[in-house]
Amino acid sequence: TPKSEPIVTTPLKQDGEVIGSKSGKKYYFPWCGTVKRIKPENQVPFASIADAKAAGFTPGGNCKGLW
């Protein structure tokens, strides 16, 4: 039987790049499903959660790890 590759998990970052929308005030991790629904031209990238909060954005309720 072939050897299976080890499962590598990446720890959930508490800070890092997040994406907001020009038409809203919520931010999301780049891998959250909601980001796929925000047109690229309407995405507002932030270097950190702190930057998003400073701009008046709050965490998206459906993005696991933000709350």
Side-chain angles (χ1 to χ4, degrees):
T1 62
K3 279 188 167 183
S4 62
E5 293 293 318
I7 297 173
V8 178
T9 59
T10 303
L12 188 62
K13 289 183 181 181
Q14 292 304 312
D15 207 8
E17 184 182 6
V18 293
I19 307 292
S21 171
K22 289 180 181 179
S23 64
K25 282 294 183 180
K26 300 284 185 189
Y27 63 83
Y28 310 91
F29 286 123
W31 57 84
C32 291
T34 302
V35 172
K36 294 176 186 172
R37 295 193 301 254
I38 303 171
K39 291 181 181 180
E41 62 269 20
N42 293 329
Q43 291 182 8
V44 181
F46 294 100
S48 68
I49 290 172
D51 288 350
K53 286 181 178 179
F57 284 71
T58 57
N62 62 343
C63 192
K64 194 172 186 176
L66 287 178
W67 25 260

mmCIF file of all heavy atoms in Angstrom, residues 7-45:
data_model
loop_
_atom_site.group_PDB
_atom_site.id
_atom_site.type_symbol
_atom_site.label_atom_id
_atom_site.label_comp_id
_atom_site.label_asym_id
_atom_site.label_seq_id
_atom_site.Cartn_x
_atom_site.Cartn_y
_atom_site.Cartn_z
ATOM 1 N N ILE A 7 -0.694 14.608 7.562
ATOM 2 C CA ILE A 7 -1.641 15.719 7.559
ATOM 3 C C ILE A 7 -0.971 16.898 8.238
ATOM 4 O O ILE A 7 -0.493 16.793 9.366
ATOM 5 C CB ILE A 7 -2.949 15.339 8.291
ATOM 6 C CG1 ILE A 7 -3.631 14.196 7.538
ATOM 7 C CG2 ILE A 7 -3.856 16.541 8.418
ATOM 8 C CD1 ILE A 7 -4.820 13.628 8.258
ATOM 9 N N VAL A 8 -0.920 17.991 7.531
ATOM 10 C CA VAL A 8 -0.306 19.201 8.072
ATOM 11 C C VAL A 8 -1.417 20.199 8.350
ATOM 12 O O VAL A 8 -2.215 20.498 7.476
ATOM 13 C CB VAL A 8 0.708 19.804 7.074
ATOM 14 C CG1 VAL A 8 1.297 21.092 7.627
ATOM 15 C CG2 VAL A 8 1.791 18.799 6.749
ATOM 16 N N THR A 9 -1.469 20.673 9.562
ATOM 17 C CA THR A 9 -2.474 21.675 9.902
ATOM 18 C C THR A 9 -1.775 22.996 10.158
ATOM 19 O O THR A 9 -0.685 23.036 10.711
ATOM 20 C CB THR A 9 -3.294 21.262 11.133
ATOM 21 O OG1 THR A 9 -2.394 21.077 12.233
ATOM 22 C CG2 THR A 9 -4.064 19.986 10.898
ATOM 23 N N THR A 10 -2.421 24.042 9.734
ATOM 24 C CA THR A 10 -1.893 25.376 9.958
ATOM 25 C C THR A 10 -2.674 25.995 11.096
ATOM 26 O O THR A 10 -3.905 26.009 11.061
ATOM 27 C CB THR A 10 -2.068 26.241 8.688
ATOM 28 O OG1 THR A 10 -1.427 25.579 7.614
ATOM 29 C CG2 THR A 10 -1.476 27.612 8.874
ATOM 30 N N PRO A 11 -1.985 26.476 12.113
ATOM 31 C CA PRO A 11 -2.719 27.095 13.210
ATOM 32 C C PRO A 11 -3.497 28.314 12.726
ATOM 33 O O PRO A 11 -3.036 29.036 11.847
ATOM 34 C CB PRO A 11 -1.637 27.496 14.212
ATOM 35 C CG PRO A 11 -0.338 27.330 13.525
ATOM 36 C CD PRO A 11 -0.554 26.518 12.289
ATOM 37 N N LEU A 12 -4.664 28.520 13.288
ATOM 38 C CA LEU A 12 -5.503 29.642 12.916
ATOM 39 C C LEU A 12 -4.859 30.925 13.420
ATOM 40 O O LEU A 12 -4.570 31.065 14.596
ATOM 41 C CB LEU A 12 -6.900 29.475 13.531
ATOM 42 C CG LEU A 12 -7.949 30.462 13.101
ATOM 43 C CD1 LEU A 12 -8.205 30.343 11.604
ATOM 44 C CD2 LEU A 12 -9.234 30.210 13.864
ATOM 45 N N LYS A 13 -4.618 31.829 12.524
ATOM 46 C CA LYS A 13 -4.000 33.095 12.906
ATOM 47 C C LYS A 13 -5.039 33.974 13.592
ATOM 48 O O LYS A 13 -6.170 34.055 13.160
ATOM 49 C CB LYS A 13 -3.491 33.839 11.670
ATOM 50 C CG LYS A 13 -2.299 33.216 11.017
ATOM 51 C CD LYS A 13 -1.865 34.102 9.862
ATOM 52 C CE LYS A 13 -0.684 33.534 9.135
ATOM 53 N NZ LYS A 13 -0.255 34.404 8.048
ATOM 54 N N GLN A 14 -4.623 34.637 14.623
ATOM 55 C CA GLN A 14 -5.500 35.601 15.273
ATOM 56 C C GLN A 14 -5.317 36.982 14.652
ATOM 57 O O GLN A 14 -6.072 37.879 14.921
ATOM 58 C CB GLN A 14 -5.207 35.644 16.777
ATOM 59 C CG GLN A 14 -5.594 34.370 17.481
ATOM 60 C CD GLN A 14 -7.048 33.991 17.285
ATOM 61 O OE1 GLN A 14 -7.943 34.810 17.447
ATOM 62 N NE2 GLN A 14 -7.311 32.754 16.924
ATOM 63 N N ASP A 15 -4.292 37.127 13.860
ATOM 64 C CA ASP A 15 -4.073 38.382 13.171
ATOM 65 C C ASP A 15 -3.472 38.039 11.811
ATOM 66 O O ASP A 15 -2.906 36.985 11.617
ATOM 67 C CB ASP A 15 -3.117 39.272 13.970
ATOM 68 C CG ASP A 15 -3.352 40.748 13.688
ATOM 69 O OD1 ASP A 15 -4.338 41.066 13.005
ATOM 70 O OD2 ASP A 15 -2.547 41.558 14.147
ATOM 71 N N GLY A 16 -3.597 38.921 10.884
ATOM 72 C CA GLY A 16 -3.128 38.678 9.535
ATOM 73 C C GLY A 16 -4.074 39.334 8.566
ATOM 74 O O GLY A 16 -5.001 40.023 8.969
ATOM 75 N N GLU A 17 -3.852 39.122 7.308
ATOM 76 C CA GLU A 17 -4.664 39.790 6.304
ATOM 77 C C GLU A 17 -6.133 39.419 6.421
ATOM 78 O O GLU A 17 -6.491 38.252 6.594
ATOM 79 C CB GLU A 17 -4.180 39.434 4.897
ATOM 80 C CG GLU A 17 -4.948 40.190 3.834
ATOM 81 C CD GLU A 17 -4.532 39.828 2.420
ATOM 82 O OE1 GLU A 17 -3.720 38.915 2.239
ATOM 83 O OE2 GLU A 17 -5.040 40.468 1.497
ATOM 84 N N VAL A 18 -6.983 40.416 6.344
ATOM 85 C CA VAL A 18 -8.426 40.218 6.292
ATOM 86 C C VAL A 18 -8.966 41.080 5.153
ATOM 87 O O VAL A 18 -8.313 42.011 4.688
ATOM 88 C CB VAL A 18 -9.128 40.569 7.627
ATOM 89 C CG1 VAL A 18 -8.735 39.588 8.716
ATOM 90 C CG2 VAL A 18 -8.833 41.989 8.070
ATOM 91 N N ILE A 19 -10.168 40.741 4.697
ATOM 92 C CA ILE A 19 -10.779 41.411 3.559
ATOM 93 C C ILE A 19 -12.109 42.008 3.982
ATOM 94 O O ILE A 19 -12.929 41.335 4.608
ATOM 95 C CB ILE A 19 -11.040 40.413 2.401
ATOM 96 C CG1 ILE A 19 -9.769 39.636 2.020
ATOM 97 C CG2 ILE A 19 -11.661 41.121 1.188
ATOM 98 C CD1 ILE A 19 -8.686 40.458 1.394
ATOM 99 N N GLY A 20 -12.320 43.258 3.628
ATOM 100 C CA GLY A 20 -13.599 43.919 3.845
ATOM 101 C C GLY A 20 -14.231 44.220 2.500
ATOM 102 O O GLY A 20 -13.664 43.932 1.446
ATOM 103 N N SER A 21 -15.408 44.821 2.548
ATOM 104 C CA SER A 21 -16.109 45.199 1.326
ATOM 105 C C SER A 21 -16.348 46.701 1.336
ATOM 106 O O SER A 21 -16.634 47.286 2.385
ATOM 107 C CB SER A 21 -17.452 44.474 1.244
ATOM 108 O OG SER A 21 -18.229 44.990 0.182
ATOM 109 N N LYS A 22 -16.256 47.325 0.170
ATOM 110 C CA LYS A 22 -16.519 48.752 0.061
ATOM 111 C C LYS A 22 -17.957 49.090 0.458
ATOM 112 O O LYS A 22 -18.226 50.200 0.888
ATOM 113 C CB LYS A 22 -16.268 49.237 -1.370
ATOM 114 C CG LYS A 22 -14.820 49.273 -1.749
ATOM 115 C CD LYS A 22 -14.648 49.777 -3.182
ATOM 116 C CE LYS A 22 -13.182 49.791 -3.573
ATOM 117 N NZ LYS A 22 -13.002 50.243 -4.966
ATOM 118 N N SER A 23 -18.865 48.131 0.308
ATOM 119 C CA SER A 23 -20.278 48.400 0.578
ATOM 120 C C SER A 23 -20.727 47.957 1.972
ATOM 121 O O SER A 23 -21.903 48.046 2.291
ATOM 122 C CB SER A 23 -21.150 47.722 -0.479
ATOM 123 O OG SER A 23 -20.998 46.316 -0.389
ATOM 124 N N GLY A 24 -19.815 47.476 2.790
ATOM 125 C CA GLY A 24 -20.194 47.012 4.124
ATOM 126 C C GLY A 24 -19.157 47.394 5.152
ATOM 127 O O GLY A 24 -18.195 48.104 4.858
ATOM 128 N N LYS A 25 -19.361 46.923 6.370
ATOM 129 C CA LYS A 25 -18.428 47.229 7.454
ATOM 130 C C LYS A 25 -18.009 45.965 8.197
ATOM 131 O O LYS A 25 -17.699 46.002 9.378
ATOM 132 C CB LYS A 25 -19.055 48.236 8.430
ATOM 133 C CG LYS A 25 -19.030 49.655 7.905
ATOM 134 C CD LYS A 25 -17.602 50.146 7.791
ATOM 135 C CE LYS A 25 -17.515 51.593 7.347
ATOM 136 N NZ LYS A 25 -16.132 52.039 7.247
ATOM 137 N N LYS A 26 -18.016 44.826 7.498
ATOM 138 C CA LYS A 26 -17.572 43.559 8.077
ATOM 139 C C LYS A 26 -16.261 43.154 7.423
ATOM 140 O O LYS A 26 -16.003 43.490 6.265
ATOM 141 C CB LYS A 26 -18.605 42.442 7.840
ATOM 142 C CG LYS A 26 -19.975 42.720 8.426
ATOM 143 C CD LYS A 26 -19.977 42.524 9.900
ATOM 144 C CE LYS A 26 -21.398 42.688 10.440
ATOM 145 N NZ LYS A 26 -21.435 42.708 11.869
ATOM 146 N N TYR A 27 -15.426 42.436 8.162
ATOM 147 C CA TYR A 27 -14.204 41.895 7.577
ATOM 148 C C TYR A 27 -14.179 40.393 7.748
ATOM 149 O O TYR A 27 -14.852 39.837 8.618
ATOM 150 C CB TYR A 27 -12.945 42.541 8.157
ATOM 151 C CG TYR A 27 -12.731 42.325 9.637
ATOM 152 C CD1 TYR A 27 -12.138 41.159 10.109
ATOM 153 C CD2 TYR A 27 -13.103 43.283 10.555
ATOM 154 C CE1 TYR A 27 -11.939 40.951 11.465
ATOM 155 C CE2 TYR A 27 -12.901 43.102 11.910
ATOM 156 C CZ TYR A 27 -12.315 41.934 12.361
ATOM 157 O OH TYR A 27 -12.116 41.730 13.699
ATOM 158 N N TYR A 28 -13.441 39.722 6.869
ATOM 159 C CA TYR A 28 -13.400 38.267 6.801
ATOM 160 C C TYR A 28 -11.981 37.805 6.503
ATOM 161 O O TYR A 28 -11.208 38.527 5.881
ATOM 162 C CB TYR A 28 -14.316 37.754 5.674
ATOM 163 C CG TYR A 28 -15.695 38.326 5.707
ATOM 164 C CD1 TYR A 28 -16.003 39.490 5.002
ATOM 165 C CD2 TYR A 28 -16.704 37.724 6.446
ATOM 166 C CE1 TYR A 28 -17.270 40.039 5.037
ATOM 167 C CE2 TYR A 28 -17.984 38.265 6.485
ATOM 168 C CZ TYR A 28 -18.257 39.422 5.786
ATOM 169 O OH TYR A 28 -19.516 39.963 5.826
ATOM 170 N N PHE A 29 -11.671 36.575 6.900
ATOM 171 C CA PHE A 29 -10.417 35.976 6.465
ATOM 172 C C PHE A 29 -10.536 35.709 4.963
ATOM 173 O O PHE A 29 -11.639 35.446 4.464
ATOM 174 C CB PHE A 29 -10.139 34.663 7.199
ATOM 175 C CG PHE A 29 -9.708 34.841 8.625
ATOM 176 C CD1 PHE A 29 -10.415 34.236 9.654
ATOM 177 C CD2 PHE A 29 -8.584 35.589 8.951
ATOM 178 C CE1 PHE A 29 -10.013 34.388 10.970
ATOM 179 C CE2 PHE A 29 -8.181 35.749 10.262
ATOM 180 C CZ PHE A 29 -8.904 35.139 11.284
ATOM 181 N N PRO A 30 -9.428 35.730 4.238
ATOM 182 C CA PRO A 30 -9.489 35.531 2.774
ATOM 183 C C PRO A 30 -10.126 34.210 2.351
ATOM 184 O O PRO A 30 -10.670 34.110 1.260
ATOM 185 C CB PRO A 30 -8.024 35.586 2.340
ATOM 186 C CG PRO A 30 -7.330 36.375 3.406
ATOM 187 C CD PRO A 30 -8.077 36.052 4.680
ATOM 188 N N TRP A 31 -10.093 33.190 3.202
ATOM 189 C CA TRP A 31 -10.636 31.883 2.823
ATOM 190 C C TRP A 31 -12.113 31.711 3.188
ATOM 191 O O TRP A 31 -12.699 30.690 2.904
ATOM 192 C CB TRP A 31 -9.807 30.763 3.466
ATOM 193 C CG TRP A 31 -9.734 30.859 4.959
ATOM 194 C CD1 TRP A 31 -10.649 30.400 5.866
ATOM 195 C CD2 TRP A 31 -8.694 31.447 5.729
ATOM 196 N NE1 TRP A 31 -10.239 30.671 7.134
ATOM 197 C CE2 TRP A 31 -9.041 31.314 7.087
ATOM 198 C CE3 TRP A 31 -7.495 32.074 5.392
ATOM 199 C CZ2 TRP A 31 -8.233 31.793 8.122
ATOM 200 C CZ3 TRP A 31 -6.697 32.557 6.416
ATOM 201 C CH2 TRP A 31 -7.065 32.405 7.758
ATOM 202 N N CYS A 32 -12.727 32.698 3.790
ATOM 203 C CA CYS A 32 -14.152 32.589 4.144
ATOM 204 C C CYS A 32 -15.021 32.691 2.891
ATOM 205 O O CYS A 32 -14.709 33.449 1.969
ATOM 206 C CB CYS A 32 -14.536 33.686 5.125
ATOM 207 S SG CYS A 32 -13.798 33.453 6.742
ATOM 208 N N GLY A 33 -16.082 31.943 2.877
ATOM 209 C CA GLY A 33 -16.969 31.885 1.724
ATOM 210 C C GLY A 33 -17.522 33.232 1.305
ATOM 211 O O GLY A 33 -17.737 33.484 0.119
ATOM 212 N N THR A 34 -17.758 34.103 2.256
ATOM 213 C CA THR A 34 -18.326 35.412 1.940
ATOM 214 C C THR A 34 -17.419 36.213 1.013
ATOM 215 O O THR A 34 -17.898 36.955 0.159
ATOM 216 C CB THR A 34 -18.582 36.198 3.242
ATOM 217 O OG1 THR A 34 -19.463 35.418 4.065
ATOM 218 C CG2 THR A 34 -19.218 37.547 2.972
ATOM 219 N N VAL A 35 -16.113 36.061 1.157
ATOM 220 C CA VAL A 35 -15.173 36.819 0.327
ATOM 221 C C VAL A 35 -15.374 36.491 -1.151
ATOM 222 O O VAL A 35 -15.235 37.361 -2.014
ATOM 223 C CB VAL A 35 -13.712 36.567 0.776
ATOM 224 C CG1 VAL A 35 -12.722 37.193 -0.182
ATOM 225 C CG2 VAL A 35 -13.495 37.109 2.180
ATOM 226 N N LYS A 36 -15.747 35.250 -1.453
ATOM 227 C CA LYS A 36 -15.970 34.853 -2.849
ATOM 228 C C LYS A 36 -17.115 35.638 -3.484
ATOM 229 O O LYS A 36 -17.177 35.775 -4.699
ATOM 230 C CB LYS A 36 -16.263 33.354 -2.936
ATOM 231 C CG LYS A 36 -15.085 32.500 -2.550
ATOM 232 C CD LYS A 36 -15.463 31.027 -2.556
ATOM 233 C CE LYS A 36 -14.319 30.192 -2.019
ATOM 234 N NZ LYS A 36 -14.690 28.797 -1.837
ATOM 235 N N ARG A 37 -18.027 36.141 -2.645
ATOM 236 C CA ARG A 37 -19.176 36.884 -3.159
ATOM 237 C C ARG A 37 -18.892 38.382 -3.305
ATOM 238 O O ARG A 37 -19.725 39.114 -3.818
ATOM 239 C CB ARG A 37 -20.389 36.658 -2.260
ATOM 240 C CG ARG A 37 -20.858 35.210 -2.289
ATOM 241 C CD ARG A 37 -22.221 35.042 -1.660
ATOM 242 N NE ARG A 37 -22.268 35.479 -0.279
ATOM 243 C CZ ARG A 37 -22.324 34.687 0.786
ATOM 244 N NH1 ARG A 37 -22.348 33.378 0.621
ATOM 245 N NH2 ARG A 37 -22.384 35.173 1.993
ATOM 246 N N ILE A 38 -17.736 38.821 -2.828
ATOM 247 C CA ILE A 38 -17.361 40.231 -2.964
ATOM 248 C C ILE A 38 -16.535 40.366 -4.242
ATOM 249 O O ILE A 38 -15.499 39.724 -4.374
ATOM 250 C CB ILE A 38 -16.531 40.710 -1.751
ATOM 251 C CG1 ILE A 38 -17.291 40.496 -0.443
ATOM 252 C CG2 ILE A 38 -16.167 42.184 -1.922
ATOM 253 C CD1 ILE A 38 -16.446 40.752 0.801
ATOM 254 N N LYS A 39 -17.002 41.164 -5.169
ATOM 255 C CA LYS A 39 -16.257 41.357 -6.421
ATOM 256 C C LYS A 39 -14.862 41.879 -6.087
ATOM 257 O O LYS A 39 -14.702 42.704 -5.182
ATOM 258 C CB LYS A 39 -16.983 42.355 -7.313
ATOM 259 C CG LYS A 39 -18.280 41.844 -7.869
ATOM 260 C CD LYS A 39 -18.910 42.903 -8.752
ATOM 261 C CE LYS A 39 -20.233 42.398 -9.305
ATOM 262 N NZ LYS A 39 -20.865 43.416 -10.165
ATOM 263 N N PRO A 40 -13.858 41.410 -6.817
ATOM 264 C CA PRO A 40 -12.489 41.855 -6.535
ATOM 265 C C PRO A 40 -12.328 43.376 -6.472
ATOM 266 O O PRO A 40 -11.607 43.889 -5.621
ATOM 267 C CB PRO A 40 -11.670 41.261 -7.685
ATOM 268 C CG PRO A 40 -12.454 40.054 -8.104
ATOM 269 C CD PRO A 40 -13.906 40.427 -7.903
ATOM 270 N N GLU A 41 -13.031 44.085 -7.332
ATOM 271 C CA GLU A 41 -12.904 45.543 -7.339
ATOM 272 C C GLU A 41 -13.558 46.208 -6.116
ATOM 273 O O GLU A 41 -13.315 47.375 -5.829
ATOM 274 C CB GLU A 41 -13.459 46.157 -8.634
ATOM 275 C CG GLU A 41 -14.932 45.920 -8.866
ATOM 276 C CD GLU A 41 -15.246 44.657 -9.674
ATOM 277 O OE1 GLU A 41 -14.401 43.744 -9.752
ATOM 278 O OE2 GLU A 41 -16.357 44.594 -10.224
ATOM 279 N N ASN A 42 -14.393 45.451 -5.407
ATOM 280 C CA ASN A 42 -15.045 45.969 -4.197
ATOM 281 C C ASN A 42 -14.388 45.490 -2.911
ATOM 282 O O ASN A 42 -14.832 45.850 -1.822
ATOM 283 C CB ASN A 42 -16.528 45.585 -4.187
ATOM 284 C CG ASN A 42 -17.290 46.292 -5.288
ATOM 285 O OD1 ASN A 42 -16.946 47.402 -5.677
ATOM 286 N ND2 ASN A 42 -18.314 45.652 -5.807
ATOM 287 N N GLN A 43 -13.350 44.663 -3.030
ATOM 288 C CA GLN A 43 -12.664 44.166 -1.839
ATOM 289 C C GLN A 43 -11.724 45.227 -1.275
ATOM 290 O O GLN A 43 -11.077 45.950 -2.026
ATOM 291 C CB GLN A 43 -11.874 42.899 -2.162
ATOM 292 C CG GLN A 43 -12.764 41.717 -2.475
ATOM 293 C CD GLN A 43 -11.982 40.457 -2.756
ATOM 294 O OE1 GLN A 43 -10.774 40.401 -2.592
ATOM 295 N NE2 GLN A 43 -12.689 39.421 -3.177
ATOM 296 N N VAL A 44 -11.704 45.310 0.050
ATOM 297 C CA VAL A 44 -10.816 46.233 0.747
ATOM 298 C C VAL A 44 -9.873 45.385 1.599
ATOM 299 O O VAL A 44 -10.285 44.838 2.627
ATOM 300 C CB VAL A 44 -11.610 47.201 1.655
ATOM 301 C CG1 VAL A 44 -10.677 48.173 2.357
ATOM 302 C CG2 VAL A 44 -12.671 47.942 0.859
ATOM 303 N N PRO A 45 -8.624 45.228 1.175
ATOM 304 C CA PRO A 45 -7.689 44.409 1.958
ATOM 305 C C PRO A 45 -7.116 45.189 3.141
ATOM 306 O O PRO A 45 -6.841 46.387 3.036
ATOM 307 C CB PRO A 45 -6.596 44.059 0.948
ATOM 308 C CG PRO A 45 -6.615 45.185 -0.030
ATOM 309 C CD PRO A 45 -8.035 45.687 -0.078
#
